[in-house]
């Protein structure tokens, strides 16, 4: 299923349709403020395993990212943050960043592993944020890559749909995506380290 949602004014009926798919364990492809993402309800183990299978991710080892609606979700999944880290997040979010943070005990329970960190995304994209707000739990998030070495990321939602229609339950057309991923900032050590420079210029 391909549905069109306008980022300037996401239609609440369409957002509800997306959330229904997620609640029933479905996988979606959705726009962010960087590249299109593949996601599912973070609290649904079966859906998380499906995403891992598609991406060839090892849930026990690989870093995983979640999309939250705002910083109020933080304490559900991360250990208490010091004021410097919190200020950094507040200054740069919503925005094209993934912040690696120390995970609390709720994360291993979901992923059945001994994960010590979690990647946090709050994209500056109203479609993604509305989905998470209505869902009530974060989205597990991973980028969809293209096999074409030159392209790397597909930006056209209709082409994405053609390619993934048999693999996911729903693709959202939220307009053309970007082809540059988020900037990854490791906040588990001080000073903070940019481990991947992407679209976002970090404000410190």
């Amino acid at each position: 299923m391909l549905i069109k949602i306008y980022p300037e004014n996401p239609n609440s009926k369409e957002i509800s349709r997306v959330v229904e798919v997620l609640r029933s364990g479905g996988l979606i492809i959705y726009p962010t403020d960087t590249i299109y993402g593949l996601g599912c309800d973070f609290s649904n183990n079966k859906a998380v395993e499906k995403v891992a299978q598609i991406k060839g991710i090892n849930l026990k080892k690989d870093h995983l990212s979640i999309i939250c609606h705002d910083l109020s979700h933080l304490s559900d999944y991360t250990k208490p943050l010091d004021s410097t880290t919190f200020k950094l997040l507040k200054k740069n979010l919503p925005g094209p960043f993934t912040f690696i943070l120390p995970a609390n005990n709720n994360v291993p329970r979901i992923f059945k592993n001994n994960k010590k960190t979690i990647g946090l995304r709050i994209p500056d994209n109203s479609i993604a944020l509305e989905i998470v707000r209505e869902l009530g739990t974060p989205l597990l998030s991973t980028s969809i890559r293209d096999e074409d070495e030159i392209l790397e990321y597909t930006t056209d939602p209709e082409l994405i749909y053609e390619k993934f229609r048999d693999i996911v339950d729903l693709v959202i057309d939220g307009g053309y995506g970007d082809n540059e991923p988020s900037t990854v900032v490791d906040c588990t050590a001080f000073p903070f380290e940019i481990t991947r420079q992407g679209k976002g210029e970090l404000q410190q």
Side-chain angles (χ1 to χ4, degrees), residues 133-152:
R133 190 182 62 76
E134 188 164 329
L135 182 62
T137 58
L139 270 181
L140 176 74
S141 174
T142 178
S143 60
I144 55 161
R145 294 183 86 88
D146 203 291
E147 271 103 46
D148 186 326
E149 288 296 310
I150 300 152
L151 272 179
E152 194 155 36

Side-chain angles (χ1 to χ4, degrees), residues 4-24:
K4 176 89 183 159
I5 300 180
Y6 294 94
E8 311 78 45
N9 188 17
N11 180 310
S12 57
K13 230 187 207 158
E14 301 294 17
I15 295 289
S16 295
R17 273 174 79 190
V18 176
V19 168
E20 255 173 60
V21 168
L22 289 165
R23 286 199 177 128
S24 63

Side-chain angles (χ1 to χ4, degrees), residues 53-107:
Q53 220 175 347
I54 290 169
K55 283 289 299 247
I57 293 170
N58 182 336
L59 286 175
K60 292 200 185 324
K61 291 181 188 160
D62 291 327
H63 286 292
L64 295 157
S65 294
I66 58 172
I67 287 190
C68 291
H69 178 257
D70 56 34
L71 289 173
S72 65
H73 274 302
L74 264 188
S75 58
D76 294 335
Y77 306 106
T78 66
K79 289 181 175 167
L81 303 178
D82 59 67
S83 61
T84 313
T85 309
F86 191 75
K87 277 180 192 154
L88 182 78
L89 267 56
K90 220 169 169 192
K91 197 176 256 191
N92 291 281
L93 295 172
F97 298 94
T98 301
F99 288 101
I100 308 295
L101 300 166
N104 68 16
N105 292 336
N106 288 335
V107 173

